[in-house]
Amino acid sequence: MKELALLALDSAKVKGASYADIRIGGTKSELIEIKNGKVVSVKRESSYGFGVRVISDGGWGFASSADVTKPEIEDATALAVRIAKASAKLKSKDVILAPEGKHIDTWKTPFEIDPFTVSLEEKIGLLLSIDQILRSVKGVKVAESTMQFWDEDCLFANSEGSLIEQRILQSGAGYSATAVNETEVQTRSYPNSFGGQYESCGYELISRFGLKENALRIGEEAVALLSAKQCEQKVTALILDGTQLSLQIHESCGHPTELDRVLGSEANYAGTSFMTLDKLGKLKYGSEIVNIVADATTPRGLGSFAYDDEGVPGKRNDLIKNGMFVGYMTSRETAQAINQRSNGTMRADGWHNIPLVRMTCINLLPGTWTLDDLIADTDDGIYMVTNRSWSIDDKRHNFQFGTEIGWEIKNGKLGAMVKNPTYTGLTTEFWNSCDAICNKDHWEIWGTPTCGKGQPPQTARTAQGTAPARFRKTRVGVAY
């Protein structure tokens, strides 16, 4: 592959490109879905190809192909240069990249068990046993479970001398139980909603979360929700568990600190950001205990890697420090626009797409509380667990979230279960009301396997690290 990569870089230079990079590689994946005792699908996919990106006459060009041969690489590279020259005719200014060093390296995700070596019978057997436990609970009408795995190999080379080989292995699993009565439907999920928990690791993830051990409880909670009291509308203290806080961080801090969104690249598709350049270093985003970093080096993080798709090393950089907004996620092009160097967040959904600024692992750093002490310290409030729904405006400021389940907190103790819990707020007011974050013993890195962005749309796998936290004077019970 190295020979083919160098061929593309040489061809781009001969045809007038001032910069070129190429990614050659492939992805294989496996998806297993079980529903009500039956195997719904077993899907195995693979793809292999290359994508060439160039700058010529100050404009970008990109071309890709699944035919990884010398003639096709030369043709695709020539096409990318022609596209760049055509794009340059409409440019408002030249594309300039922030400086980056030359990197020659090989890296792979640490893992114990390659999930693609585990038999299909073992995987399906585990999911069917979970399904049986879920449906053993009277009132559970639908049991669904899934496993999913990805294995990506990529060789990156650019005209500045970098040559990087990288293998990223990711695994995920989870399930849900849905209970139904005459008037409503309630669902509980484990370890998280929308498919479960996903990490950069091997099949060892499956044994770490006690999937079978929690199935009976999840089924019973789904049924109990049918007769639980409705979440009361009021302003109160809100404690979010790690799974829900993960999505809160993703939507209200991760997306608005993507610098391409701030500069307008996403305006038509998914909106912009209230965290504009004039607020950098000046906006009091949260309370002093709120520290949020973008960290591609987080162990097991679904957004972790050694190098991004521009060949920039994965890093940890501050987004929110002691409550102040201090940083963006950047590419080489966007970082240059604010006179910085890239912090390595460019990733593409496969060899056939251009890289975009994407979240890595967006982590709320742990505090000092235990969850028991946090609940004991709350006279009146609600504890919400596991995301059910979300809505946020196109600048990522005004939001509403719903969770699968909640419990009242009265006089420092968990009380009655409540159904349909929701909360709403403004991003900065909400994070400034955060007065307690649980400690590292409660901290987990939660994977988000389907983050959408870009036109044409791309899907990225990201992560958010968090522990439960408390937010004062939050409006709850606003929907459903």
Side-chain angles (χ1 to χ4, degrees):
M1 286 201 296
K2 180 180 177 181
E3 181 184 357
L4 295 173
L6 296 178
L7 174 63
L9 302 179
D10 291 342
S11 296
K13 183 178 180 181
V14 168
K15 295 187 177 302
S18 57
Y19 171 86
D21 61 37
I22 181 170
R23 290 174 289 116
I24 306 175
T27 302
K28 63 178 179 181
S29 63
E30 182 179 81
L31 171 65
I32 305 168
E33 295 175 302
I34 305 290
K35 183 176 182 179
N36 284 353
K38 297 181 179 179
V39 178
V40 175
S41 67
V42 175
K43 185 186 297 182
R44 287 173 169 169
E45 297 180 326
S46 63
S47 70
Y48 187 76
F50 70 93
V52 180
R53 193 178 65 150
V54 306
I55 299 173
S56 186
D57 295 347
W60 279 116
F62 177 79
S64 64
S65 173
D67 182 7
V68 189
T69 61
K70 288 183 178 180
E72 186 68 5
I73 282 182
E74 289 178 320
D75 288 348
T77 303
L79 176 59
V81 174
R82 291 200 300 276
I83 291 172
K85 291 183 181 296
S87 299
K89 294 178 180 178
L90 298 175
K91 67 185 179 185
S92 58
K93 58 183 179 180
D94 285 351
V95 173
I96 300 174
L97 302 181
E100 182 57 42
K102 170 183 169 182
H103 305 286
I104 299 176
D105 200 2
T106 300
W107 183 87
K108 68 177 181 181
T109 301
F111 65 90
E112 298 174 16
I113 305 170
D114 185 338
F116 293 92
T117 67
V118 178
S119 70
L120 199 56
E121 288 75 14
E122 179 178 331
K123 296 168 183 171
I124 290 174
L126 174 58
L127 293 181
L128 286 174
S129 66
I130 292 169
D131 181 281
Q132 188 175 30
I133 296 171
L134 292 173
R135 289 187 296 119
S136 71
V137 179
K138 185 178 180 181
V140 171
K141 301 299 184 183
V142 180
E144 296 175 279
S145 55
T146 184
M147 285 188 191
Q148 197 162 9
F149 310 97
W150 298 269
D151 191 348
E152 295 184 359
D153 280 296
C154 181
L155 180 144
F156 172 89
N158 69 14
S159 55
E160 297 170 345
S162 286
L163 184 67
I164 300 161
E165 293 181 84
Q166 188 164 236
R167 180 188 179 192
I168 296 176
L169 187 65
Q170 298 167 323
S171 302
Y175 54 82
S176 64
T178 298
V180 182
N181 65 13
E182 294 78 7
T183 58
E184 63 182 301
V185 176
Q186 294 289 342
T187 297
R188 282 289 288 134
S189 306
Y190 185 83
N192 201 354
S193 50
F194 304 105
Q197 167 67 330
Y198 296 81
E199 299 179 359
S200 288
C201 67
Y203 196 74
E204 63 272 13
L205 170 138
I206 302 301
S207 60
R208 211 161 55 78
F209 277 89
L211 295 174
K212 286 181 65 175
E213 292 82 352
N214 283 278
L216 184 62
R217 174 179 64 83
I218 290 299
E220 290 173 344
E221 287 182 354
V223 174
L225 279 167
L226 294 173
S227 56
K229 62 188 295 187
Q230 177 71 20
C231 179
E232 181 184 356
Q233 291 189 30
K234 62 180 180 179
V235 175
T236 189
L238 171 65
I239 298 177
L240 296 179
D241 82 320
T243 58
Q244 172 56 34
L245 194 50
S246 165
L247 189 62
Q248 178 77 50
I249 294 167
H250 180 98
E251 300 293 353
S252 67
C253 183
H255 278 308
T257 53
E258 296 166 334
L259 186 52
D260 60 342
R261 182 187 294 270
V262 176
L263 298 177
S265 297
E266 280 283 292
N268 286 342
Y269 183 55
T272 57
S273 170
F274 76 95
M275 299 173 77
T276 49
L277 295 178
D278 59 306
K279 295 184 175 68
L280 184 61
K282 300 175 183 175
L283 175 68
K284 190 173 184 300
Y285 178 92
S287 63
E288 289 190 357
I289 64 169
V290 174
N291 293 281
I292 302 176
V293 300
D295 187 358
T297 70
T298 306
R300 297 186 287 106
L302 204 59
S304 295
F305 46 81
Y307 295 89
D308 76 351
D309 284 336
E310 287 190 313
V312 178
K315 299 173 183 174
R316 168 173 165 156
N317 62 288
D318 292 319
L319 301 176
I320 309 297
K321 189 173 181 62
N322 298 328
M324 297 298 294
F325 164 44
V326 296
Y328 290 109
M329 287 173 278
T330 63
S331 63
R332 292 184 65 181
E333 181 181 5
T334 57
Q336 194 278 334
I338 56 173
N339 298 315
Q340 294 183 4
R341 296 188 64 158
S342 171
N343 46 44
T345 66
M346 285 285 272
R347 290 191 290 158
D349 181 4
W351 49 266
H352 54 290
N353 280 309
I354 60 171
L356 306 170
V357 174
R358 303 308 304 257
M359 282 179 242
T360 56
C361 299
I362 312 304
N363 301 336
L364 173 66
L365 301 186
T368 58
W369 292 73
T370 67
L371 181 57
D372 287 345
D373 286 345
L374 187 55
I375 292 171
D377 185 67
T378 304
D379 291 333
D380 182 81
I382 184 168
Y383 177 43
M384 295 190 189
V385 174
T386 312
N387 180 260
R388 171 178 168 179
S389 64
W390 68 95
S391 175
I392 191 165
D393 69 46
D394 62 354
K395 292 188 175 180
R396 305 280 156 170
H397 197 227
N398 189 343
F399 63 80
Q400 177 178 290
F401 287 89
T403 66
E404 291 184 347
I405 194 168
W407 286 269
E408 292 179 336
I409 303 173
K410 297 290 186 184
N411 302 316
K413 296 181 179 178
L414 287 181
M417 176 187 294
V418 296
K419 63 185 175 184
N420 307 324
T422 59
Y423 65 97
T424 189
L426 299 174
T427 295
T428 47
E429 289 182 4
F430 182 75
W431 283 104
N432 273 286
S433 74
C434 180
D435 74 339
I437 303 171
C438 287
N439 62 32
K440 61 182 181 181
D441 294 335
H442 299 274
W443 197 92
E444 183 58 85
I445 184 74
W446 295 100
T448 300
T450 54
C451 176
K453 187 176 179 181
Q455 291 178 299
Q458 297 188 35
T459 299
R461 294 183 284 277
T462 69
Q464 299 73 225
T466 184
R470 183 174 62 193
F471 301 84
R472 294 291 191 183
K473 297 181 180 178
T474 303
R475 182 168 297 279
V476 303
V478 292
Y480 304 150

